[in-house]
């Protein structure tokens, strides 16, 4: 028994923050941002919008694409590092909003690897017979933890959600394998310290906000390239596949230069690498499922295609998955 994706969907809030807008907020310019990152604009959620609201929109599209109703779901997993609240999980809010009463629901916080981690867990649960139908969502409101006075980070991040519906299937089709890795020794490279047990948020003290994302950009860049390339090779080797057989490579959309460097290491032509970060920026856990949904809409996920996914994020965490569509 294995699992396969039968529906995908995505949602990005309507408000757009373009490079021109950022020029008015910090000392930066469109040319610098485009050259260094490949990002032109990102979507930003308005006040009062919760991560589970983005999840809901993306999930309804994925369920409709799959042709199943929320009541048929056994499992709801949300990959996010920007939950609605510390407690309960965003997945439980999503379950309520969907009316997916039969499903068990929880979150996974693996930052930008959140969708791949969730996909891997859902696949393993289905293989173990713990359910037949799973909704796997990656969603973030990164604008809620972005410091719009820090030009090194605020140009990168955007908000959005993507979702995939998985169903059980014969082994050897669908999700062929998933590969996950972490290295907590390198946690400091990307972190948002406030709001947890170490640095609780206490507005009453009037303290400066401490839950902003901090990132050592250069160092992160190097690890992202090495680890994503390595974990892609691991997925190919596990399945006895060659990079030339991969019809579409969907990497985490963090930076065009990271994507190009990983593609070059793997030796995959640019026309088989899916890139949409120019319009969304880095949406963390949402980036791969948003890309999956757009790829399907553009007719780039054909039946029988071999699709390679790879992610990298805070933790550090990284992973890959090889899919037969
Ligand atoms: N606009 C203009 N100049 C900027 C800038 C901005 N938005 N941000 C930084 N700079 C400046 C720096 O201050 C520095 O100036 P200096 O040389 O006078 O000190 C110069 O540009 C180079 O900075 P540096 O940090 O070395 O640039 P970079 O080429 O590494 O690009 C990132 C910065 C953040 C774009 C890049 O490191 C990156 O993308 N890293 C990975 C980030 C990522 O994807 N993280 C998530 C992984 S999941």
């Amino acid at each position: 028994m294995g699992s396969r994706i039968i529906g995908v969907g995505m949602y990005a809030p309507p408000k757009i923050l373009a490079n021109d807008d950022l020029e008015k907020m910090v000392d930066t310019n469109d040319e610098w941002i485009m050259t260094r990152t490949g990002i032109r604009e990102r979507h930003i959620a308005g006040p009062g919008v919760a991560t589970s609201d983005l999840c809901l929109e993306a999930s309804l599209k994925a369920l409709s694409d799959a042709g199943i109703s929320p009541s048929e779901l056994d499992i709801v997993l949300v990959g996010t590092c920007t939950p609605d609240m510390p407690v309960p999980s965003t997945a439980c809010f999503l379950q309520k909003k969907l009316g997916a009463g039969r499903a068990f629901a929880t979150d996974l916080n693996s930052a930008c690897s959140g969708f791949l981690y969730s996909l891997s867990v859902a696949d393993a649960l289905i293989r173990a017979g713990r359910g037949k139908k799973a909704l796997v969502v990656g969603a973030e409101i990164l604008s809620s933890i972005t410091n719009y006075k820090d030009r090194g980070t605020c140009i990168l991040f955007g908000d959005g959600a993507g979702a995939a519906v998985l169903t059980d299937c014969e082994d050897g089709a669908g999700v062929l394998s998933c590969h996950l890795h972490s290295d907590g020794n390198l946690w400091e490279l990307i972190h948002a310290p406030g709001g947890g047990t170490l640095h609780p948020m206490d507005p009453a003290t009037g303290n400066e906000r401490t839950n902003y994302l901090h990132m050592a950009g250069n160092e992160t860049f190097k690890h992202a390239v090495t680890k994503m390339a390595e974990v892609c090779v691991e997925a190919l080797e596990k399945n006895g596949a060659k990079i030339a057989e991969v019809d579409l490579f969907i990497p985490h959309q963090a930076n065009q230069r990271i994507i190009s460097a990983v593609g070059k290491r793997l030796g995959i032509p640019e026309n088989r690498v899916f890139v949409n970060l120019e319009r969304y920026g880095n949406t963390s856990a949402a980036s791969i499922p948003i890309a999956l949904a757009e790829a399907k809409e553009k007719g780039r996920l054909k039946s029988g295609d071999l699709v390679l996914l790879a992610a990298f994020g805070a933790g550090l965490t990284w992973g890959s998955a090889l899919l037969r569509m």
Side-chain angles (χ1 to χ4, degrees), residues 2-302:
S3 78
R4 70 186 172 95
I5 294 177
I6 53 166
V8 286
M10 56 85 51
Y11 176 77
K15 186 183 167 195
I16 285 177
L17 184 68
N19 290 350
D20 300 352
D21 301 314
L22 285 165
E23 282 180 13
K24 294 172 200 131
M25 298 158 71
V26 286
D27 181 13
T28 191
N29 57 74
D30 176 57
E31 202 255 325
W32 193 97
I33 303 173
M34 277 304 287
T35 321
R36 299 291 178 117
T37 70
I39 300 165
R40 192 178 299 284
E41 58 189 36
R42 53 303 278 141
H43 292 249
I44 302 293
V49 175
T51 302
S52 61
D53 295 325
L54 309 191
C55 291
L56 178 66
E57 299 294 335
S59 300
L60 289 172
K61 289 182 191 165
L63 288 162
S64 157
D65 189 37
I68 72 160
S69 74
S71 61
E72 293 175 66
L73 292 170
D74 303 302
I75 304 164
V76 173
L77 298 181
V78 175
T80 187
C81 61
T82 49
D84 290 13
M85 298 180 186
V87 180
S89 69
T90 300
C92 281
F93 284 118
L94 175 61
Q95 183 215 24
K96 168 183 176 285
K97 288 175 184 178
L98 280 171
R102 223 161 64 94
F104 58 87
T106 194
D107 291 356
L108 281 96
N109 177 352
S110 323
C112 302
S113 307
F115 178 76
L116 268 188
Y117 267 65
S118 304
L119 179 76
S120 178
V121 170
D123 174 62
L125 287 167
I126 290 174
R127 283 176 193 271
R130 304 296 298 275
K132 288 180 185 300
K133 297 218 166 14
L135 175 66
V136 180
V137 188
E140 304 286 4
I141 299 189
L142 285 180
S143 58
S144 67
I145 56 168
T146 297
N147 180 357
Y148 286 98
K149 291 184 176 150
D150 173 14
R151 67 177 183 170
T153 54
C154 74
I155 54 155
L156 299 170
F157 303 116
D159 303 338
V165 177
L166 266 70
T167 190
D168 60 327
C169 70
E170 292 293 310
D171 203 3
V175 181
L176 301 181
S177 66
C178 297
H179 307 268
L180 305 179
H181 298 277
S182 307
D183 186 355
N185 292 307
L186 297 171
W187 68 270
E188 262 180 306
L189 291 185
I190 319 170
H191 68 284
T197 51
L198 265 182
H199 308 282
M201 293 288 279
D202 185 2
T205 64
N207 282 347
E208 217 175 289
R209 274 183 66 168
T210 54
N211 68 333
Y212 286 135
L213 266 174
H214 297 265
M215 189 178 59
N218 263 312
E219 196 63 10
T220 301
F221 192 103
K222 289 179 216 154
H223 286 289
V225 173
T226 325
K227 301 300 186 197
M228 276 209 284
E230 277 173 13
V231 79
C232 285
V233 171
E234 185 182 341
L236 293 170
E237 283 179 358
K238 162 83 182 169
N239 292 282
K242 302 234 173 326
I243 194 70
E245 295 166 49
V246 171
D247 297 289
L248 193 63
F249 174 41
I250 303 185
H252 168 49
Q253 309 284 308
N255 182 315
Q256 179 60 58
R257 290 187 299 140
I258 294 177
I259 294 173
S260 300
V262 174
K264 203 168 159 194
R265 279 185 185 220
L266 293 173
I268 187 162
E270 271 179 27
N271 64 359
R272 283 195 270 134
V273 182
F274 194 86
V275 182
N276 65 1
L277 92 163
E278 181 172 343
R279 287 174 291 120
Y280 299 106
N282 179 349
T283 57
S284 187
S287 92
I288 290 179
I290 288 177
L292 267 171
E294 287 206 333
K296 181 162 188 193
E297 202 179 288
K298 289 180 193 305
R300 296 193 67 185
L301 295 183
K302 294 185 290 299

